[in-house]
């Protein structure tokens, strides 16, 4: 499965550690990680996945693939700005949201539109977001939600 990891472009050390742990778990459980490809949560999650031998996909807002963080394996330039947020969610089977501001909130909206299960770690309290406390709970939630859908 592909897990879209979304969240803030600037994060605290604690949020970065949480995102890195999510990325590591995504890879350890044999999933691919999809994100917006830049810094903050995106870079930390990609770093965790990369260090665990996973594959990462960054769907970038700009036209330059080289703008991706150094842990992105496949960089996809879109030239769409924040409108690329829909593509980040669409290209995952499930979503883990960590922290985040208005951009993350838009991704949570797209998760509802595209009927993706969402686990939220310290993120917006929005419809369809299952609040969890740990990275392990986040991955377990989205895996179980997808298994139940068949």
């Amino acid at each position: 499965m592909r897990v879209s990891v979304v969240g803030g472009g600037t994060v605290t050390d604690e949020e970065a550690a949480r995102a890195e742990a999510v990325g590591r778990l995504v890879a350890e459980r044999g999933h691919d990680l999809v994100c917006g490809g830049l810094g903050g949560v995106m870079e930390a999650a990609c770093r965790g996945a990369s260090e665990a031998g996973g594959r990462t996909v960054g769907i970038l807002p700009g036209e330059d693939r080289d703008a991706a963080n150094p842990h992105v394996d496949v960089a996809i330039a879109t030239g769409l700005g924040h409108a690329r947020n829909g593509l980040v969610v669409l290209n995952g089977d499930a979503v883990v949201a960590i922290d985040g501001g208005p951009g993350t909130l838009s991704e949570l909206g797209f998760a509802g539109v595209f009927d993706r299960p969402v686990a939220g770690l310290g993120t917006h309290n929005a419809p369809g977001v299952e609040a969890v406390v740990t990275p392990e709970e986040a991955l377990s939630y989205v895996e179980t939600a997808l298994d139940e859908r068949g």
Side-chain angles (χ1 to χ4, degrees):
M1 112 170 134
R2 290 182 183 174
V3 178
S4 296
V5 178
V6 302
T10 56
V11 292
T12 66
D13 289 343
E14 180 182 329
E15 291 159 347
R18 193 176 310 154
E20 190 169 332
V22 166
R24 188 176 312 106
L25 285 169
V26 167
E28 288 172 352
R29 294 184 181 195
H31 309 308
D32 293 332
L33 188 145
V34 178
C35 71
L38 299 177
V41 163
M42 299 166 279
E43 183 169 6
C46 285
R47 182 174 49 251
S50 260
E51 289 174 357
R55 184 170 64 165
T56 60
V57 178
I59 301 178
L60 303 164
E63 298 176 7
D64 182 6
R65 291 189 311 250
D66 293 334
N69 76 63
H71 309 287
V72 169
D73 295 317
V74 179
I76 300 170
T78 67
L80 295 173
H82 286 290
R84 70 73 155 89
N85 290 356
L87 297 175
V88 172
V89 173
L90 179 64
N91 282 282
D93 301 302
V95 177
V96 175
I98 304 163
D99 181 50
T104 304
L105 187 56
S106 77
E107 288 163 321
L108 295 175
F110 282 118
V113 169
F114 297 130
D115 194 29
R116 301 301 195 254
V118 181
L121 283 162
T123 193
H124 304 278
N125 179 13
V129 177
E130 179 71 22
V132 296
V133 178
T134 68
E136 292 81 7
E137 289 174 338
L139 265 290
S140 293
Y141 173 75
V142 297
E143 288 170 333
T144 300
L146 285 173
D147 284 345
E148 290 174 354
R149 292 179 180 193

